[in-house]
Amino acid sequence: MNALPVGENLDWQQLLEAAEAAARATAGQGRVADYIPALAEADPEAFGMAVATVDGELYGVGDWERPFSIQSVSKLFTLALALAHGGDTVWRGVGREPSGNPFNSLVQLETEHGIPRNPFINAGALVVTDRLQSLTGDAAGAVRAFLRRESGNPGLDTDPAVAASEAAHGHRNAALAHFIASHGNLENPVETVLDHYYAHCAIAASCRDLVLAGSFLARYGLRTDGTRMMTRSEAKRVNAVLLTCGTYDAAGEFAFRVGLPGKSGVGGGVLAILPGRAAVCAWGPRLDQAGNSVAAVTALDTLTTLSGLSVF
Ligand code: DON
């Protein structure tokens, strides 16, 4: 691959087109998630990618304006909102070490006394959702309101069919939540926490919506209107946890290939941050063994490799 110039003359549209070509070349690789039956209806060949720069420029290719189920990408926003409302208290109930285990694993919770390893595995996200519920009275509503405001898309919403499908097949998440509750690490009833967790995972949003909503991390904590959501130090911490834990037991491989903080979801989206520069989101529903999109990771790998942009 020939390197494109890094700096003021960066051609984002050209970079996105090159990333899309590389992603489309992975056609047929990976499998669409079906453990939540409603997700199996996604178009396996869909692909979209978008960039929002800190200067307010927006670029996109492919299906970049087509909504998909954001799933665990929502966990970036639940953590950020919980920190914005509750500060460091959030870290009393959840760690910040990579788990080295699949996102829905139960094994570490027993030896670690109901304190999940990090906020992005399902166990940790349930604790963060619980704290956001205590802090706002409506955890999923707080995530939707933030995404709507930052993306300027008032129609952005939870897909009720996906949320219902998650709940109907949610034995593992229910087991995690009950186990955490048995250790006294939930403040709200298990049913409330699960309802809000499913409701924020089942939000449908596009790459366009997600880059705009995620760009506060590229702006070191400033929202799109320039107001401060969190301190610069908190934004650094969220980015650090995204880098080490955002793609689960593939976080090492993601850092190696892409070199950016990022959050994946089983709907096939990956939202990544170039601190000080831009938010980038890629989407393709086919997943690898760890639950990360084959096309999206390939696209992000291509973008950072061609441009030389990364946090390293
Ligand atoms: O709880 C679940 O299993 C899903 N709602 C979210 C999992 C997910 O997206 C993991 N990410 N790669």
Side-chain angles (χ1 to χ4, degrees):
M1 289 190 225
N2 294 322
L4 298 174
V6 177
E8 297 314 308
N9 298 326
L10 200 66
D11 187 334
W12 285 110
Q13 196 64 37
Q14 192 186 345
L15 273 173
L16 287 179
E17 282 161 19
E20 179 178 21
R24 298 242 184 235
T26 68
Q29 293 175 35
R31 293 195 52 219
V32 176
D34 57 7
Y35 76 101
I36 299 169
L39 294 182
E41 292 162 24
D43 170 5
E45 310 317 328
F47 177 79
M49 190 169 187
V51 168
T53 72
V54 293
D55 310 320
E57 292 165 29
L58 187 60
Y59 303 88
V61 290
D63 301 311
W64 68 292
E65 292 175 294
R66 184 164 158 190
F68 58 90
S69 192
I70 70 170
Q71 293 296 316
S72 290
V73 179
S74 63
K75 297 170 184 175
L76 180 164
F77 300 105
T78 49
L79 176 65
L81 287 165
L83 290 170
H85 284 92
D88 271 354
T89 58
V90 175
W91 298 116
R92 288 187 202 142
V94 64
R96 44 207 186 226
E97 291 294 346
S99 73
N101 277 311
F103 62 84
N104 54 5
S105 173
L106 290 122
V107 294
Q108 279 163 349
L109 263 189
E110 176 141 36
T111 49
E112 298 180 1
H113 313 291
I115 309 281
R117 269 287 170 102
N118 67 65
F120 297 140
I121 51 173
N122 288 12
L126 288 162
V127 171
V128 175
T129 301
D130 172 67
R131 299 308 191 269
L132 188 59
Q133 179 67 16
S134 297
L135 291 160
T136 64
D138 181 4
V143 177
R144 282 190 297 260
F146 180 79
L147 290 176
R148 284 178 189 149
R149 191 172 54 237
E150 294 301 293
S151 67
N153 175 5
L156 183 150
D157 214 341
T158 294
D159 181 333
V162 175
S165 187
E166 293 207 41
H169 297 83
H171 299 301
R172 197 173 268 263
N173 285 323
L176 287 167
H178 280 289
F179 194 79
I180 295 164
S182 80
H183 280 278
N185 195 17
L186 286 187
E187 297 171 357
N188 297 279
V190 163
E191 292 68 29
T192 307
V193 175
L194 287 171
D195 279 353
H196 282 266
Y197 173 82
Y198 296 139
H200 69 64
C201 286
I203 289 171
S206 65
C207 292
R208 175 203 167 276
D209 298 330
L210 290 175
V211 285
L212 290 169
S215 61
F216 74 94
L217 284 178
R219 271 188 248 95
Y220 305 116
L222 297 181
R223 299 183 188 88
T224 42
D225 66 2
T227 58
R228 186 160 287 286
M229 176 185 184
M230 56 172 51
T231 65
R232 188 177 174 118
S233 169
E234 276 171 335
K236 176 210 73 181
R237 290 170 168 188
V238 174
N239 277 325
V241 184
L242 283 171
L243 182 76
T244 53
C245 311
T247 46
Y248 310 108
D249 43 340
E253 183 69 11
F254 187 80
F256 180 85
R257 288 182 64 191
V258 176
L260 297 178
K263 186 74 212 78
S264 60
V266 290
V270 183
L271 174 58
I273 308 299
L274 273 156
R277 199 135 196 167
V280 190
C281 182
W283 167 58
R286 290 180 189 268
L287 309 179
D288 63 18
Q289 296 286 341
N292 300 314
S293 164
V294 175
V297 175
T298 301
L300 291 164
D301 178 355
T302 305
L303 183 130
T304 54
T305 303
L306 284 177
S307 65
L309 293 170
S310 90
V311 296
F312 300 108

